[in-house]
């Protein structure tokens, strides 16, 4: 079983919808939680970076971490066609966020 | 803005060839990483480096080696390319050990 499981998708929603992207994990030592966005033929870019349980908001994006349930989510409000991409969750056990364990990604399409 | 540049977007090589993938970052980051990305397997860490001339194995180092002679440059070497090394290779850097990653746009390598 993988340490990080991500809802596989693909996900297709109409413009303006609220999107929920989810990952579960088995390693209780994970301390840092990240969401990356990857456009087609591009490298991943960091969207959100959180350390503790709770919510972190940045514009239309909200990252939620529930360590007790070993569950993280990324919510996108008022989704736009430009949000169409693959979203990767990532998490690390120690202070080296570069040695993260990644989910397989969820591909999102937002239709105008 | 951080720029991580990978020298080739697409490469086609023959089985048994020695292959060099080059990566350069322009922000004086201490840490550099090589990942490969495969459908259904997510991103997997091959090698990383915290300093010049320093390297550490990631999760899947077999069949690969790396070189970091200068701080800004991190090279991935496939000593004898095999078809199972056909993949998307992503280079990344980070300024501190607890920082998330800045990725390049990847090199899609095909080994025939």
């Amino acid at each position: 079983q993988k340490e990080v499981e991500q809802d596989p998708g693909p996900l297709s929603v109409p413009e303006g919808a609220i999107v929920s992207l989810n990952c579960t994990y088995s390693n209780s030592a994970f301390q840092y939680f990240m969401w990356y966005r990857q456009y087609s033929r591009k490298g991943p870019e960091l969207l959100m970076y959180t350390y503790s349980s709770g919510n972190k908001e940045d514009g239309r994006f909200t990252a939620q971490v529930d360590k007790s349930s070993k569950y993280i989510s990324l919510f996108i409000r008022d989704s736009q066609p430009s949000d169409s991409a693959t979203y990767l969750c990532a998490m690390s056990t120690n202070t080296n966020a570069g040695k993260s364990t990644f989910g397989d990604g969820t591909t999102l399409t937002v239709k105008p | 803005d951080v720029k991580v540049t990978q020298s080739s977007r697409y490469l086609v090589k023959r089985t048994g060839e020695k292959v060099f993938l080059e990566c350069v970052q322009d922000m004086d980051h201490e840490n550099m990483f090589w990942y490969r990305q495969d459908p259904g397997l997510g991103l997997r860490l091959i090698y990383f480096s915290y300093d010049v001339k320093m390297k550490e194995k990631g999760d899947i180092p077999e069949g690969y080696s790396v070189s970091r002679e200068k701080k800004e440059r991190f090279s991935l070497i496939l000593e004898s390319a095999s078809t199972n090394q056909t993949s998307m290779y992503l280079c990344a850097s980070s300024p501190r050990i607890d920082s998330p990653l800045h990725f390049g746009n990847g090199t899609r390598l095909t080994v025939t």
Side-chain angles (χ1 to χ4, degrees):
Chain A
Q1 187 186 359
K2 293 181 180 180
E3 278 191 303
V4 177
E5 298 278 0
Q6 184 167 359
D7 288 354
L11 205 54
S12 181
V13 301
E15 184 175 353
I18 296 173
V19 176
S20 171
L21 304 167
N22 308 296
C23 290
T24 58
Y25 61 94
S26 57
N27 189 342
S28 58
F30 284 138
Q31 300 174 17
Y32 292 82
F33 304 90
M34 290 143 283
W35 285 96
Y36 291 87
R37 177 176 61 196
Q38 186 174 22
Y39 290 115
S40 180
R41 293 186 292 278
K42 298 284 189 181
E45 57 178 337
L46 181 71
L47 263 183
M48 302 287 277
Y49 178 48
T50 60
Y51 172 69
S52 57
S53 282
N55 293 352
K56 180 178 180 179
E57 192 172 317
D58 184 2
R60 295 185 294 111
F61 298 90
T62 300
Q64 189 175 79
V65 175
D66 183 346
K67 286 188 178 180
S68 61
S69 301
K70 298 190 182 67
Y71 190 89
I72 70 170
S73 297
L74 178 71
F75 297 97
I76 307 174
R77 290 186 300 281
D78 188 24
S79 55
Q80 302 295 309
S82 58
D83 295 327
S84 297
T86 297
Y87 291 81
L88 303 162
C89 65
M91 35 199 96
S92 66
T93 59
N94 50 30
T95 54
N96 186 352
K99 289 180 66 179
S100 297
T101 301
F102 284 80
D104 290 350
T106 302
T107 297
L108 170 69
T109 301
V110 181
K111 295 184 176 179
Chain B
D1 207 18
V2 178
K3 190 151 185 167
V4 179
T5 303
Q6 294 183 233
S7 54
S8 304
R9 292 301 306 274
Y10 301 94
L11 271 180
V12 180
K13 297 292 181 181
R14 294 204 179 271
T15 303
E17 278 193 76
K18 190 168 186 176
V19 181
F20 293 86
L21 302 182
E22 306 288 345
C23 175
V24 177
Q25 50 95 1
D26 66 356
M27 286 301 291
D28 202 36
H29 284 178
E30 300 292 329
N31 311 310
M32 296 189 75
F33 306 82
W34 277 105
Y35 283 84
R36 61 178 284 178
Q37 184 176 28
D38 300 287
L41 297 174
L43 272 78
R44 292 178 292 166
L45 182 62
I46 304 171
Y47 266 97
F48 59 101
S49 170
Y50 294 140
D51 201 354
V52 175
K53 297 192 186 294
M54 176 271 174
K55 60 186 179 185
E56 284 197 33
K57 293 180 180 179
D59 300 319
I60 51 164
E62 297 78 18
Y64 303 95
S65 62
V66 290
S67 172
R68 195 169 181 198
E69 296 295 321
K70 294 184 178 181
K71 190 175 185 180
E72 67 271 18
R73 187 179 297 270
F74 193 35
S75 302
L76 180 69
I77 303 155
L78 286 65
E79 297 291 341
S80 177
S82 63
T83 54
N84 63 12
Q85 292 178 311
T86 291
S87 185
M88 169 69 85
Y89 290 88
L90 290 162
C91 175
S93 70
S94 68
R96 299 182 313 273
I97 201 167
D98 60 347
S99 300
L101 300 170
H102 298 265
F103 283 92
N105 281 328
T107 296
R108 183 164 293 282
L109 173 68
T110 302
V111 182
T112 62

